[in-house]
Amino acid sequence: MTTVVDILPHILALLGDGALTAAQIAAGAAAIAFVGGLVLAVVNVFTQLVAVRLAIAAYTEWMRNVPALAHLFLLYFGLASVGVRLTPLAAAIVGLGLVGAAVLCDVFSAGLRALHVGQREAALAVGLTPLQALRFIVLPQVLRLTLPAIGNYASQLVKDTSIASAIAAPEIMFFARNLVTSTFETPLIYASAIALYAAIVLPVSWLFARLERRLAAAGGMGGAR
Amino acid sequence: MEHKLLKVDGLHKSYGAAQVLRGISFDLKRGETLSLIGPSGSGKSTCLRCLNFLEKPTSGEIVLEGERIGRTGSGRGERLMTDRELAPQRREIGMVFQLFYLWPHLNVRDNVALASIKAGGMHRDEAYALADEMLDKVHLRRKADEYPERLSGGQQQRVAIARALAQKPKLMLFDEPTSALDPELVGEVLGVIRELAEEGRSMILVTHEIRFARDVADRVIFMDGGVVVEEGPACDVIERPSMERTRAFLGQVGIGAGLSK
């Protein structure tokens, strides 16, 4: 008879593979979310075109008000039925990335609006172009202002990778459920899965906390603007 | 040869139905200091902000050394410039704001040097040397490595002046530069502005410091309700105003006509 000790390495190896996949999904989705969210927010706040603002509002509302799982199904099964086959990994990255872009669009938009308009005016007044003002003056401050919210989003994203198991992306929960079916070591397996999520999320949270402290120490954002 | 540095002609600015500027015209000689005074809401700050197109005038001409500011093309092809097109023109005009607007994520030296590097095409070393020189002018070189939030309001405003000076501007604009300062800090900022005026810089100063305007400005314009009510040499307008509205305003701010020296 096999004991828990015999199968533990097997469990950890598979869940470890899953953790790697989860990290890939989170990293890929975070990249899409960050770039997409930033571009959408900048356009959203600075455009004069009402139609563009409405389109962005419609996108963010839609993405945030429909469960992410439904978006993954649409990307994975829905696209497949019209002949576009994404791998589960790609569908998970794109799906969570598009949802994240909506979340971060709201975060960055709020940050851009919170920054005093005089900061940008002073940048234009010294002869910077609007793009330079954005890059050297506005965005560095907005990123600092929104860092806590970005950190929250990043932790949430790592946890949300678990729903990719529903489209058979080989991440932690996917392997955990398979292992439970084949070994019936339910408590051990889910406890290991939880430990793995914590092992990813905690460093992410720690990194953001550290970044916030460092930027605060580097001066400049606490006082009057 | 263009005799005037700046010509402003028929400047109008409306927000919807509200007319803030209703035909402002004046000019500025090279090396001259002009002060705009007047009650709150008279349009003097708006007028100043139109000069570098932070506000887009509804109509009117602004010409700096023969170059039309903020508009391009002629006849039917005339249009407002974009902010991108305005950047080189704005570089010729330094601006100092009421609330300083130093960039809090950059230290003092970088605040002063950034535009020289990014917009002026200078090398970093050259831009830093220029920044230190400008900080010397405002007596704050020792603060070059500090972040703005560590400075007093008066020091922040002096850094903001150094930042504008580093543009090597043809014209300096001051938008109520001491209105946000604690009373004991006003003097150090006015002192710096006085030194700049004595250097013969071309400056336009919007201020509530009437006595200072009298002492430092060559000419004063009194504005009310979006129009120029009275214009002339500083002493004349402030000490011997010819218009009843000017007298009333000066009375309200505690300076009766016939102010003694």
Side-chain angles (χ1 to χ4, degrees):
Chain A
M1 170 165 176
T2 55
T3 65
V4 168
V5 178
D6 293 330
I7 60 169
L8 192 58
H10 176 60
I11 290 173
L12 289 181
L14 279 183
L15 291 183
D17 276 358
L20 237 57
T21 307
Q24 271 176 17
I25 294 173
I32 294 175
F34 188 84
V35 175
L38 200 56
V39 170
L40 283 176
V42 167
V43 172
N44 185 32
V45 171
F46 290 112
T47 186
Q48 312 285 335
L49 302 171
V50 178
V52 172
R53 275 205 298 273
L54 283 177
I56 291 172
Y59 174 80
T60 55
E61 283 302 311
W62 169 255
M63 280 293 167
R64 293 184 315 133
N65 292 325
V66 175
L69 183 60
H71 289 298
L72 295 198
F73 279 3
L74 187 66
L75 281 170
Y76 187 62
F77 299 115
L79 284 183
S81 72
V82 294
V84 181
R85 294 206 68 90
L86 295 180
T87 63
L89 190 68
I93 288 174
V94 172
L96 291 175
L98 291 179
V99 174
V103 174
L104 289 188
C105 172
D106 283 357
V107 167
F108 291 137
S109 293
L112 285 167
R113 293 198 180 98
L115 190 68
H116 197 293
V117 67
Q119 286 291 315
R120 180 169 182 270
E121 283 186 350
L124 296 179
V126 296
L128 298 187
T129 64
L131 217 58
Q132 287 175 326
L134 192 67
R135 178 163 163 217
F136 300 117
I137 304 303
V138 175
L139 288 186
Q141 295 185 60
V142 166
L143 288 181
R144 283 170 195 224
L145 281 172
T146 55
L147 202 59
I150 300 172
N152 278 343
Y153 162 74
S155 315
Q156 191 64 48
L157 175 64
V158 172
K159 294 180 279 177
D160 282 350
T161 58
S162 59
I163 64 171
S165 64
I167 55 170
E171 49 68 74
I172 299 171
M173 290 310 285
F174 174 83
F175 283 122
R177 226 174 307 159
N178 285 356
L179 282 166
V180 167
T181 325
S182 57
T183 66
F184 302 105
E185 293 291 346
T186 313
L188 173 68
I189 290 166
Y190 284 132
S192 308
I194 289 169
L196 276 172
Y197 279 112
I200 307 177
V201 174
L202 287 176
V204 169
S205 306
W206 177 81
L207 200 74
F208 272 94
R210 201 182 130 92
L211 209 57
E212 274 170 54
R213 273 201 310 276
R214 262 192 51 182
L215 290 177
M221 292 294 289
R225 279 195 282 283
Chain B
M1 178 63 195
E2 185 65 39
H3 172 59
K4 304 289 188 188
L5 176 72
L6 176 78
K7 284 184 180 174
V8 179
D9 188 26
L11 211 55
H12 281 80
K13 175 68 184 177
S14 308
Y15 300 97
Q19 286 199 317
V20 182
L21 299 180
R22 300 188 292 174
I24 302 285
S25 302
F26 63 89
D27 38 44
L28 187 77
K29 284 194 281 245
R30 208 169 269 104
E32 193 179 26
T33 298
L34 171 69
S35 185
L36 300 184
I37 61 170
S40 299
S42 60
K44 52 196 192 304
S45 280
T46 305
C47 177
L48 198 74
R49 288 166 54 81
C50 280
L51 298 182
N52 66 352
F53 263 66
L54 284 181
E55 299 286 346
K56 316 273 187 242
T58 313
S59 65
E61 284 272 291
I62 299 157
V63 179
L64 180 70
E65 273 195 338
E67 187 182 350
R68 200 156 57 136
I69 302 289
R71 287 176 198 273
T72 183
S74 57
R76 293 173 60 92
E78 196 196 69
R79 61 172 178 83
L80 293 178
M81 288 185 183
T82 62
D83 279 325
R84 190 188 163 79
E85 292 169 321
L86 274 163
Q89 294 192 330
R90 285 182 173 141
R91 228 178 131 55
E92 307 285 343
I93 304 171
M95 183 149 194
V96 175
F97 298 87
Q98 182 179 358
L99 297 174
F100 335 135
Y101 300 139
L102 292 185
W103 301 309
H105 61 298
L106 301 177
N107 70 23
V108 163
R109 184 180 285 115
D110 283 324
N111 262 275
V112 179
L114 180 81
S116 303
I117 300 168
K118 302 301 176 188
M122 269 186 211
H123 285 291
R124 182 166 296 265
D125 296 345
E126 195 186 348
Y128 279 177
L130 175 67
D132 284 349
E133 191 187 322
M134 295 304 133
L135 286 170
D136 258 341
K137 270 192 179 304
V138 299
H139 317 297
L140 280 175
R141 187 159 177 177
R142 66 188 190 283
K143 298 288 187 185
D145 295 314
E146 299 275 9
Y147 281 86
E149 71 173 1
R150 301 212 171 245
L151 306 185
S152 72
Q155 291 171 333
Q156 289 189 45
Q157 191 61 297
R158 282 149 63 198
V159 172
I161 292 171
R163 177 174 70 180
L165 289 175
Q167 294 168 235
K168 300 190 171 161
K170 292 173 180 161
L171 172 65
M172 285 282 283
L173 308 177
F174 294 85
D175 186 7
E176 304 195 21
T178 58
S179 297
L181 296 177
D182 293 335
E184 76 271 22
L185 302 177
V186 168
E188 61 186 76
V189 172
L190 293 184
V192 166
I193 295 173
R194 184 192 300 268
E195 286 165 21
L196 296 177
E198 284 164 1
E199 275 180 21
R201 282 177 189 273
S202 313
M203 314 202 293
I204 301 178
L205 171 70
V206 170
T207 187
H208 290 293
E209 303 280 341
I210 306 298
R211 285 185 181 81
F212 180 71
R214 183 199 62 184
D215 293 347
V216 165
D218 301 301
R219 264 191 315 139
V220 165
I221 286 179
F222 172 69
M223 281 178 68
D224 194 11
V227 296
V228 172
V229 174
E230 185 165 355
E231 173 182 358
C235 294
D236 291 358
V237 174
I238 291 168
E239 291 172 19
R240 294 176 292 278
S242 57
M243 305 296 286
E244 183 49 43
R245 273 154 89 190
T246 316
R247 268 196 289 276
F249 169 73
L250 290 172
Q252 275 166 8
V253 297
I255 299 176
L259 181 80
S260 60
K261 299 251 171 170

